[in-house]
Amino acid sequence: MVRRAAPILLTLVVVVMGIVALAARPTTPPARPGADFVVLVGVAGLRWDDVDAERTPTLWQLARQGSIGSLSVRSAYRPTCPLDGWLTLGAGSFAGWTNGQPDGECPPTEVQVDRPDRIGANLPEQESVVVHNQDRLPWGTVPGALSESVRCSVAVGPGAAVAAARPFGRVDRYEPTLPADPAGLLSSCVLSIVDLGTVAGADPAERAAAAREADTQLARVLAARPPNSLVIVAGVADTERPSRLHVAVADGPGWENGWLTSPTTARRGYLQLIDLAPTALTALGRPMPDRPFLGRPAESVGGRPDDLAAAITEPADADREAAAQREVAGGFFTLLAGVQVALAVAVLPLLRRARRHAGPYGPKPVSPRVVAVVELLLVAAALAMPAALLAEAVPWWRNTYPAATFAGLTAALLAAATLLVRLAPGYRSTLGPLGAVAGLTTLAVGLDVVTGARLQLNGVVGYSALEGGRYAGLGTVGLGVFVAAALLTAGWLAQQVHRRWRPTVMVLVGGAAVVVVGSPYLGADSIGAIALTAGVSVAAAISAGGWLTVTRLAWAGMAGLAVTIGFAVVDLGRPPGERGSLGRFLAALGDGTGGLTVQRSSAASFQTLVNSPLTVLALVGALLLWFALLRPWGGLMRLFGIYPAIRAAMAGTGVAAVIGGVLGAVGLDVAGAAAAVVVPMAALAALRVLDHAADRTRPATDRPQDAGPSSKPAPSGKPVPDGGPEAPGPAAEGGPGGAKPADDQAGVPDPAAEGGGAATTGGAAPSNEPGGQRGRAVRSSAEVATG
């Protein structure tokens, strides 16, 4: 009865841990004082390296007394050209001008603004822009949602007119240029949007002149700002490819001397362009529109250095790091995919020749030195991503040649990690390298997440603030690597204990990983936590023996569904502004707009699938598993039969990676990152199992060694008992119709060294002893201990 209830109880434990991790939320910061007026000042292309005390003294002083941050200007198009940026600012969601950028370059900033009277203006193109965003783009954005949420708004300049135009094209109050005395204009409405031009080009002198001109006009705006007002200065757009991080400064009551952040980034010093509209409405005390903004209100947090020059260094350095990351990441993943493909090809002949034959005929074995080198290369391939992650601890992007610096640093760390695994105790055993690699990888990624995921932000194997997808927690690549490493670590630990305790070990280690992935204080990845819950449930169900049956897969699916439902109930109970992605999606389903989310997710998943090098890693790993490792000569089936906990860990990794990729709309990226760790280790372990497939060993029995029949020496030099029972093959480890595992019969753990264990068909030669004994054998625990 207890054994039958064990899967249910273990599944409930995983579900509870998952819901607790996802349901926790940081406390809501105290409400800041409101403002009577909000002035949004935009300068397209303005970056932090354009700001200094001499060139832009007004902006420098504003930043000294206010809050600052790096602004990601993601919109519906990339790069975000000025018209797209201004439209996104006024919409509070990702938006794009109808022209788009078919060649990836920004067209001239030209927009028709009609002035039928001396008060406001009309945008004739606004109606087509609204139709384009709602019918052709996947976000269902409403241009002009910000101005529709206030009674009156002011626009100065053509870019500001794009942001302030209501959905039908009307701008309440408009001036093409800043008046000599703008005080009356800025105080005529609670919301003012001002376009101070563009800072563009690569020439430092041109950029300095444009920044100086914008700073001069900003001084006039600040001199005329209404009392009790919030002024936000933002570099609202890119001016060319590639994208960059831009300036964001907020000054007003409650915004003094801090870092800007928002719930959409959950990262100190970062916010998005879509956050400015809800920030303005929140400061004015106005309700959000019926169709919620994608952005969230920004806030100011402490921890900024008192020295402004030192404070500005951080966002400027982040911009350089993000730009360098974009240049290096593609080459790194392409090289990694190529190396993994080459290793897959190199392993095939080694697998064919790894099994030693008892007779005089058979293929010539590969040189041990060659095998040792290939094994080290497999270890290095599995450690490549953790090494690249640790390389982010050194500011390689500041070097004159960032790509070469990153390559050299990663290579040095990779060599050191590989040497550490090689010198680790137990390296010669079958599972020694697998356990060491999994443990080091789990430790590297886990410590980074626990300490704030600083190495993943703008990291080569992390995520970029320029992409606007994630700014904190565990990224897509990190999720795949961490899931694989954590489950392999759990499988290796579970293999060291008796089979009845293996599910418990899997749940404890896997449940801790679920908390790390799902907690908003740590990984902040609810989709990853749901996927990992299903993977841990699968691993726990089959870790003691048996295969992945429909029933066990159903239990895993029910566990993931239970976590999803539990978290959804908690998330929907929160205010709309505090809900997570799952709660917002379910709310969208309720109001009939969920189809846009599904469409956007499907489009993003397909785009990632066809463009990511990680897709190659996932496909190559699947092909190597199916056409080589899982073949009778491939060794993986034998490995699974001898070490059921490792089989469980790999099965759980596959389930979690697939679910995480589908639900997260990231194609095969999670599976590819997981395969980069799992497949090399599976190949190495298979090589070692095959190398010992023909070993003649003693079976484990329930009887004391001295109580059974006498043993006679076999021709191989190892004792084979008379009348010894036939050793169980892979099916005996709990497979359909199989006998009980050897460790269950003998009351000792599975053999866990040097690949010894149950022989498969053709694995051992029959005994030639008198009496015609033909039983195959498994190693005794004493032989295992001595290798």
Side-chain angles (χ1 to χ4, degrees):
M1 182 64 183
V2 175
R3 293 188 62 183
R4 293 182 178 179
I8 301 176
L9 296 176
L10 292 174
T11 301
L12 289 176
V13 171
V14 177
V15 168
V16 170
M17 295 180 73
I19 294 177
V20 169
L22 293 174
R25 278 290 182 272
T27 57
T28 303
R32 296 185 177 276
D36 296 330
F37 299 88
V38 171
V39 181
L40 296 174
V41 180
V43 184
L46 183 65
R47 303 197 300 261
W48 278 112
D49 53 12
D50 297 318
V51 179
D52 62 31
E54 296 181 0
R55 191 165 52 233
T56 56
T58 304
L59 185 57
W60 185 269
Q61 182 60 32
L62 190 72
R64 182 189 300 277
Q65 63 191 31
S67 296
I68 65 174
S70 297
L71 182 69
S72 173
V73 296
R74 179 188 172 188
S75 67
Y77 298 126
R78 297 181 185 180
T80 296
C81 293
L83 289 180
D84 305 320
W86 284 110
L87 193 67
T88 299
L89 169 63
S93 300
F94 302 126
W97 199 251
T98 53
N99 295 334
Q101 302 94 40
D103 57 353
E105 301 298 331
C106 292
T109 307
E110 297 178 355
V111 58
Q112 181 180 352
V113 181
D114 297 338
R115 300 196 65 188
D117 51 51
R118 296 183 179 180
I119 300 176
N122 287 330
L123 266 63
E125 298 178 76
Q126 184 74 348
E127 183 177 354
S128 62
V129 170
V130 171
V131 172
H132 175 74
N133 279 271
Q134 293 193 341
D135 295 345
R136 298 185 181 180
L137 297 180
W139 294 277
T141 300
V142 181
L146 174 59
S147 58
E148 277 287 277
S149 301
V150 297
R151 182 178 57 84
C152 173
S153 61
V154 170
V156 178
V162 172
R166 296 179 182 268
F168 53 88
R170 176 67 178 176
V171 181
D172 298 333
R173 295 181 180 272
Y174 177 72
E175 290 292 339
T177 58
L178 194 67
D181 183 10
L185 180 65
L186 297 180
S187 60
S188 62
C189 294
V190 295
L191 175 65
S192 298
I193 305 176
V194 182
D195 178 4
L196 293 187
T198 301
V199 178
D203 182 44
E206 292 182 4
R207 296 190 65 89
R212 187 179 296 108
E213 175 61 24
D215 189 74
T216 301
Q217 295 190 61
L218 176 62
R220 295 166 56 194
V221 172
L222 296 180
R225 66 187 292 183
N228 193 30
S229 60
L230 170 63
V231 175
I232 300 176
V233 180
V236 296
D238 296 309
T239 55
E240 58 188 356
R241 185 179 292 275
S243 298
R244 302 291 294 270
L245 294 173
H246 296 274
V247 166
V249 180
D251 177 62
W255 299 86
E256 296 86 0
N257 193 30
W259 290 109
L260 291 174
T261 186
S262 87
T264 64
T265 65
R267 173 77 70 172
R268 187 196 69 174
Y270 288 85
L271 73 162
Q272 298 190 68
L273 182 61
I274 57 176
D275 296 327
L276 300 185
T279 301
L281 291 185
T282 301
L284 293 172
R286 301 302 173 95
M288 297 297 164
D290 294 336
R291 178 169 289 182
F293 294 132
L294 289 180
R296 305 279 288 279
E299 56 193 59
S300 176
V301 296
R304 200 185 87 179
D306 294 332
D307 182 11
L308 181 61
I312 287 180
T313 299
E314 289 193 32
D317 192 55
D319 180 40
R320 289 192 292 270
E321 182 183 5
Q325 183 260 9
R326 179 181 45 238
E327 297 177 0
V328 174
F332 171 80
F333 285 111
T334 301
L335 178 62
L336 179 61
V339 170
Q340 294 260 12
V341 171
L343 280 175
V345 174
V347 162
L348 293 178
L350 270 63
L351 291 171
R352 283 288 191 180
R353 299 186 179 187
R355 187 189 297 270
R356 290 177 292 174
H357 290 255
Y361 303 103
K364 183 179 180 181
V366 180
S367 168
R369 292 185 178 181
V370 174
V371 175
V373 170
V374 172
E375 288 182 348
L376 286 177
L377 291 176
L378 289 171
V379 170
L383 290 171
M385 287 194 186
L389 179 68
L390 294 177
E392 300 296 333
V394 179
W396 54 268
W397 55 90
R398 299 175 188 169
N399 194 279
T400 306
Y401 304 99
T405 305
F406 174 80
L409 184 61
T410 302
L413 289 171
L414 185 58
T418 304
L419 180 61
L420 183 62
V421 172
R422 175 63 183 82
L423 298 179
Y427 176 78
R428 293 295 183 183
S429 65
T430 302
L431 299 183
L434 183 148
V437 169
L440 287 176
T441 303
T442 304
L443 188 63
V445 181
L447 284 179
D448 178 50
V449 173
V450 170
T451 56
R454 294 179 177 86
L455 301 182
Q456 294 198 54
L457 177 64
N458 297 324
V460 172
V461 295
Y463 39 81
S464 172
L466 299 176
E467 299 299 323
R470 176 172 282 272
Y471 300 84
L474 196 60
T476 299
V477 176
L479 175 64
V481 172
F482 185 72
V483 163
L487 286 175
L488 284 180
T489 301
W492 183 84
L493 291 173
Q495 194 60 51
Q496 312 306 311
V497 301
H498 193 277
R499 67 188 301 266
R500 70 167 61 96
W501 296 107
R502 290 172 188 167
T504 303
V505 173
M506 296 296 298
V507 166
L508 291 177
V509 178
V514 170
V515 173
V516 171
V517 172
S519 172
Y521 302 96
L522 301 174
D525 189 346
S526 57
I527 299 299
I530 292 169
L532 183 54
T533 299
V536 171
S537 299
V538 166
I542 64 176
S543 59
W547 296 100
L548 183 57
T549 63
V550 175
T551 303
R552 288 169 170 175
L553 187 60
W555 273 113
M558 290 173 61
L561 184 61
V563 172
T564 304
I565 294 174
F567 175 57
V569 171
V570 175
D571 206 21
L572 286 173
R574 299 190 178 104
E578 299 180 7
R579 291 172 183 165
S581 58
L582 181 59
R584 291 196 299 269
F585 172 68
L586 294 177
L589 289 179
D591 61 24
T593 60
L596 293 171
T597 303
V598 175
Q599 178 187 356
R600 181 171 71 247
S601 298
S602 300
S605 184
F606 177 77
Q607 192 78 6
T608 304
L609 183 67
V610 299
N611 293 328
S612 175
L614 290 173
T615 301
V616 177
L617 285 175
L619 295 178
V620 169
L623 291 175
L624 181 63
L625 286 173
W626 184 254
F627 291 104
L629 295 177
L630 289 176
R631 299 297 94 187
W633 51 269
L636 197 58
M637 294 295 289
R638 181 178 182 86
L639 178 75
F640 286 170
I642 301 172
Y643 306 107
I646 300 301
R647 175 188 61 200
M650 292 186 181
T653 300
V655 170
V658 171
I659 294 178
V662 172
L663 296 184
V666 291
L668 294 177
D669 277 8
V670 178
V677 177
V678 173
V679 175
M681 290 297 94
L684 193 155
L687 282 173
R688 294 198 169 182
V689 165
L690 290 174
D691 185 50
H692 294 274
D695 288 355
R696 304 295 299 277
T697 56
R698 175 182 298 174
T701 66
D702 288 329
R703 296 172 300 176
Q705 293 293 334
D706 57 351
S710 61
S711 298
K712 300 178 182 180
S716 62
K718 295 183 180 180
V720 178
D722 290 341
E726 182 172 341
E733 287 289 348
K740 291 184 179 181
D743 67 321
D744 191 39
Q745 297 171 1
V748 296
D750 287 341
E754 293 299 332
T760 56
T761 303
S767 172
N768 294 322
E769 287 298 304
Q773 303 299 333
R774 301 176 59 187
R776 283 173 265 162
V778 292
R779 279 187 172 183
S780 67
S781 57
E783 291 170 350
V784 169
T786 59

